[in-house]
Each structure stands twice: as C-alpha cells, then as structure tokens.
Amino acid sequence: MKVGVLALQGAFREHREVLDALGCEAIEVRVPQQLESVDALFLPGGESTTIGKLLDSSGLRAPLRERVAGGLPTFATCAGLIVLASDVLDGRADQEPLSLLDVAVRRNGYGRQVASFEVPLRVEGLTGAPFPGVFIRAPVIERSGDGVEVLARHDDRPVLIRQGRVWAASFHPELSGDLRLHQRFLQQEVAA
Amino acid sequence: MADPVETDNTDETLPSDATLQSVDTRATGTATVKRGLAEMLRGGVIMDVVDATQAKIAEDAGAVAVMALERVPSDIRRDGGIARMSDPAMIEAIQAEVTIPVMAKCRIGHFAEAQVLESLGVDFIDESEVLTPADEAYHVDKWSFTAPFVCGATNLGEALRRISEGAALIRSKGEAGTGNIVEAVRHLRSILGDIRRITVADDEELYGWAKELRAPIDLVQEVAELGELPVPLFCAGGIATPADASLVMQLGAQSVFVGSGIFKSDDPASRAKAIVEATTHYVDPAIVAKVSRGLGDAMRGIQLAPSDTHLADRGW
C-alpha cells in the first residue's frame, strides 16, 4: 500500500514516521505527479494559509480536490482539516478551502499557543487506553453537516470526524506516539 | 480566544454519548505542546517584520509565522545602542493583523521581558542574541513558561544547553543582518557534523562528548540514539535568496528564519513568496530557478571583519 503525505509545509515527517512504523510505503507529495500513484493520503498540520498558497503555486489544488472527491481515503489533521472544510471562520478573506468536508471550522478556535493543550480522548471503536489528544493552536469544529459522523469529542465539540472516506482531526495523532488512529483509518478505509 | 486555564469538567458519570467525551483536564505548556508548534512550522519561512503592514505582506507571501521586532538586525547593527524587547503596542498591532503565529524577541537572560511577551500571548519567544544581552552568565529558565522558546546556537553544545534550559526549538545563529550565509552554514555544519559523529560514538566516548560540549549526558545520549536534536533545528542569520534557503534546507535545517533579507531587498513581496516556494521545493533546482527569476536586488549585505561585532558570540 502506497500512502502519500502532503509535504508542502508542516508536520509531514511525523505522519511519514507513523506510516513507516505501520509498514506502509509512505511518500511525500509536493507536485501533482506524486499524487497519482497513492492509495491513501494524509494532510498534515502546519499553517493553513501557507499550505493553501502552496497548493496553488504547486498546481496541486485541482488534482487534490479531484482525487479526494473521487473517493481517495484521506486523513486530515489540524491545518489539513481547515484546508478540506466548507467554511472557515476567523480565517483570511482570501483563504479558499476545498469544500470537501461539510463542516465549519474556526481557526485557532481554542486560542493562541499558550492555550494549546493535551487531553485524553475517548474515540469511538478504539479499545484500551484513551487516545492522547494533542491540540496545537487547534481549529474548533463549530458545525458539522448531516453526513458527518463524530468519532470523538472534547468540550462538547467534535474533534475527530468522518465523512465518507475522509477522516479529519482537530488534534495531532502524529505527535502522540500512539499509532492506533492511523492504523484504524488504514484498516477501515484502505485495506477493506 | 480560549482561556488558558480553562478545564474540561467532563467526567465518566455523564449519560448518553459520554463515551466519546474526553476524560481529563487540559494540560497546557507541556513539552509535547511546545515542541508540537515547532513541528507545525517545519518546511516554512518565519519572517522578521517591524509593523503590521510588513506582517500582512509576510502572511500574504505564505510565511508560517512572523517575528515582531522594532528594527531588523541590519538596522540594529547600523544604529548601535542597546537593542531591547519591542513595544507591546507594536506586537499587539501585528497580532491583530495576521492569523499566523507571532513571535517576539527578549534579551538573553531577561526573564521579565519574557514574562511580558508571554502575557501578550506571543506564540513563540526568541531569547535572542540579536538584542543586547541582559545577563552575562545565565539564560532564561524556559521550563517555567507556558509559551515555547526558540534559542540560537552556533554549535551542538550550545544547542543542548539551551534545550536543557527548556528551549522547544533551536535555530542556527548565523550572523544576523549581514545577508551573508557563510556563518549560518558554518553553524549548521558544526551542529549536524557533531551529531553525526556522536551517533557512532560508544558509551564511554559519550561521556567525553558531554564534557567537551559542556552539555548534560542524558541529552548527549538522546542525540546519539535519535541521530538528531530532540527538538527541531531551523536556520537563521544571513538568508537573502531562494537558493540560500535551498542550501540550508539541503544541509539539514528544517525551516528558515529570514530577517533583513526580505524587507531590505528591492521587492519584498516577490522575494518573500519566492523564498517560501524555494523552502518547500528545496530539492528541486528547477523550481528554485523558476522562483529566483526577476526578483530585483537582494539586500546588499556586508562581509564582517574579525574585529567587527559578531552577534553570534553572544550566549553562553
């Protein structure tokens, strides 16, 4: 299984390391050709404004939208969630999300870095210990559409969601040292 | 903005969908959270800005963060005098202008300036040799802060001492305000070369390394095991062109700070955007070439004589 990690900017290396540990062939995606051969895609955290601009300059915006809309299993974290959302609140006026997830997210909704936090999460379908939730200047999911399934919450807000074959987290499973979410996503959406 | 001390009162007695609720209180200011923000800045460009207008240009160009300061290093170098923390009003104006993280500098050892910056909600505090040091012996105890710190280093020992004091991010110092990449390259090669040598040292030799580097043995052992610093390593000081960014990224830096190099050039907006793209596509010379075309003059730059002030010598 070949898994792409969007590597324009942000914590792409951490996703790649988790995928390596799970025995996947992980490749970094910076230009459109690299997107063609992947069986699944991770969109990392980082700065969503920067990633948005680099999606345009790299020519990845259209092919990425096409592949994800066409059913490519995709897991987006933090800034990745903002990139896929249908509505972005408190973003920049020129921030143009891909509208592939029926959610409204508020950028930095949990506050500035001094308010960034860790909290254990209960995740639907994950057995054993709670999942370590690492929230870094995280977006808040303020609204989610009918087709969106909530897999974990914090403070009454969804923090892990699924819509079709797209998963998205407002936190960072790749920074937690816990492989279970990556593993479960791949088992459920790719291996099946 | 969420209250930093807000707690989650959810407990296991909640009915209905409580199984999906988180089960504990929020922990802020942890090493994971501090280093986590540094990870989010990887592959990006952090730009020095002196006002909200420049901050907007930086964000428009795709900067991952801005560093708010009153004078860029080349002006500090030219003007002389004592360089201090910026006016809080100026930092707040920049925070109001952009959505990306805002960093600001405090003087080496000036923990009161650091406290002020943290109270302003600055996302990263740079305990910086570019400002005039406040303490000739000690750096700030960075563990005692909720905000993460970045510190400069010229060699591995200095990097590990800063990490032992709580720095969540290390940047090579280079020589700020010169537009000359040579010092940054020397510092990166020193840090990364010593890391490579440590990874092949045996257990006895690691104690010798700790002594030579004047660094804690547990951090030396951690570097030997990881083959890299336990926090990200960025590059600062002297980056003026897209090819400079590509060079230091290929040498092993994970992001770049650009100070005077953008707003002391002919066309800051175009140059900023070009350096952002070169940092992402640093392995692809065709893209670096494409973005390097027609940018106008880079900052003029200066070559320091041995007798000139070297900011990189500040820090202990």
Side-chain angles (χ1 to χ4, degrees):
Chain A
M1 174 194 323
K2 199 179 199 179
V3 182
V5 181
L6 186 70
L8 295 173
Q9 190 275 317
F12 50 86
R13 200 185 70 163
E14 285 61 33
H15 279 293
R16 216 188 61 209
E17 285 171 354
V18 174
L19 294 166
D20 287 343
L22 290 172
C24 302
E25 182 191 354
I27 65 159
E28 295 184 354
V29 174
R30 290 188 176 83
V31 291
Q33 304 87 286
Q34 293 163 334
L35 191 60
E36 287 166 11
S37 60
V38 302
D39 305 306
L41 181 67
F42 281 77
L43 304 182
E47 278 307 313
S48 60
T49 53
T50 305
I51 294 170
K53 286 169 195 308
L54 289 164
L55 279 175
D56 289 325
S57 62
S58 64
L60 269 167
R61 181 179 291 272
L64 180 73
R65 188 200 304 259
E66 194 178 312
R67 283 224 62 190
V68 177
L72 179 70
T74 301
F75 197 152
T77 55
C78 196
L81 159 64
I82 297 170
V83 168
L84 294 187
S86 47
D87 288 302
V88 178
L89 313 169
D90 287 351
R92 287 167 47 95
D94 64 349
Q95 196 159 7
E96 189 196 343
L98 291 168
S99 285
L100 291 162
L101 268 179
D102 185 11
V103 295
V105 295
R106 187 173 297 281
R107 279 191 70 199
N108 307 329
Y110 292 99
R112 292 184 184 280
Q113 172 62 14
V114 288
S116 291
F117 61 97
E118 293 183 71
V119 75
L121 300 170
R122 293 261 178 80
V123 177
E124 188 175 274
L126 273 197
T127 53
F131 193 88
V134 180
F135 293 77
I136 314 273
R137 286 171 49 95
V140 170
I141 300 173
E142 298 221 333
R143 178 193 65 74
S144 56
D146 292 340
V148 176
E149 185 184 353
V150 177
L151 301 178
R153 291 177 190 276
H154 170 66
D155 255 2
D156 282 334
R157 304 276 197 193
V159 294
L160 176 66
I161 56 172
R162 178 173 63 199
Q163 180 182 338
R165 306 184 84 181
V166 179
W167 293 35
S170 50
F171 57 98
H172 294 282
E174 77 282 9
L175 296 182
S176 66
D178 192 323
L179 311 181
R180 286 178 295 166
L181 267 185
H182 286 73
Q183 191 171 28
R184 181 147 170 272
F185 163 77
L186 292 170
Q187 278 168 353
Q188 199 159 327
E189 304 297 345
V190 191
Chain B
M1 176 172 151
D3 182 340
V5 296
E6 179 185 352
T7 54
D8 178 8
N9 294 318
T10 307
D11 67 34
E12 299 194 37
T13 62
L14 278 180
S16 68
D17 68 344
T19 49
L20 294 186
Q21 295 286 341
S22 60
V23 290
D24 209 344
T25 52
R26 294 181 182 183
T28 57
T30 62
T32 300
V33 158
K34 289 176 175 176
R35 293 175 185 185
L37 180 57
E39 302 287 354
M40 294 311 135
L41 302 175
R42 273 184 197 255
V45 183
I46 299 139
M47 302 181 191
D48 279 2
V49 297
V50 301
D51 57 32
T53 308
Q54 288 189 354
K56 181 74 170 40
I57 291 171
E59 187 179 55
D60 285 346
V64 290
V66 290
M67 176 76 70
L69 74 176
E70 257 160 23
R71 291 177 289 168
V72 293
S74 64
D75 288 340
I76 291 174
R77 193 176 280 287
R78 186 197 62 207
D79 299 348
I82 303 300
R84 309 180 178 90
M85 174 186 79
S86 296
D87 182 340
M90 169 269 201
I91 294 169
E92 284 166 339
I94 289 171
Q95 286 174 321
E97 181 66 34
V98 297
T99 63
I100 54 180
V102 175
M103 303 187 176
K105 291 180 191 288
C106 73
R107 285 179 264 179
I108 289 173
H110 206 315
F111 52 84
E113 284 187 348
Q115 289 162 353
V116 170
L117 295 176
E118 179 172 86
S119 80
L120 297 174
V122 162
D123 294 296
F124 238 108
I125 299 171
D126 185 1
E127 186 183 17
S128 178
E129 72 283 358
V130 169
L131 305 185
T132 312
D135 192 315
E136 293 173 327
Y138 303 110
H139 284 248
V140 172
D141 168 19
K142 294 165 272 288
W143 294 114
S144 66
F145 286 77
T146 304
F149 278 72
V150 51
C151 289
T154 58
N155 58 54
L156 182 57
E158 204 176 358
L160 295 182
R161 288 195 293 280
R162 297 296 85 79
I163 293 168
S164 76
E165 295 155 0
L169 171 62
I170 295 296
R171 54 174 173 76
S172 63
K173 284 181 180 171
E175 193 53 38
T178 62
N180 187 349
I181 198 68
V182 67
E183 313 270 347
V185 169
R186 182 189 312 132
H187 301 157
L188 273 180
R189 283 203 178 276
S190 172
I191 294 168
L192 294 163
D194 276 352
I195 290 174
R196 282 188 282 270
R197 284 183 273 279
I198 279 181
T199 57
V200 295
D202 68 17
D203 291 348
E204 287 77 15
E205 288 168 338
L206 289 182
Y207 289 97
W209 273 102
K211 190 172 146 190
E212 189 183 321
L213 294 171
R214 296 188 291 126
I217 181 65
D218 58 323
L219 278 177
V220 173
Q221 289 163 335
E222 191 176 359
V223 168
E225 196 178 314
L226 294 172
E228 61 178 4
L229 296 179
V231 305
L233 172 65
F234 293 3
C235 179
I239 293 161
T241 70
D244 286 347
S246 171
L247 172 68
V248 298
M249 292 292 287
Q250 290 189 63
L251 284 172
Q254 292 145 357
S255 284
V256 299
F257 284 84
V258 185
S260 322
I262 288 171
F263 289 101
K264 289 293 175 186
S265 72
D266 271 6
D267 182 354
S270 301
R271 183 164 295 270
K273 186 165 183 291
I275 293 177
V276 167
E277 289 185 40
T279 302
T280 289
H281 300 286
Y282 68 94
V283 291
D284 190 334
I287 295 181
V288 178
K290 187 180 90 180
V291 302
S292 298
R293 289 197 184 101
L295 294 178
D297 284 342
M299 72 178 281
R300 184 159 186 286
I302 48 171
Q303 183 155 18
L304 294 183
S307 58
D308 289 330
T309 300
H310 283 67
L311 301 177
D313 295 341
R314 298 167 168 178
W316 357 101

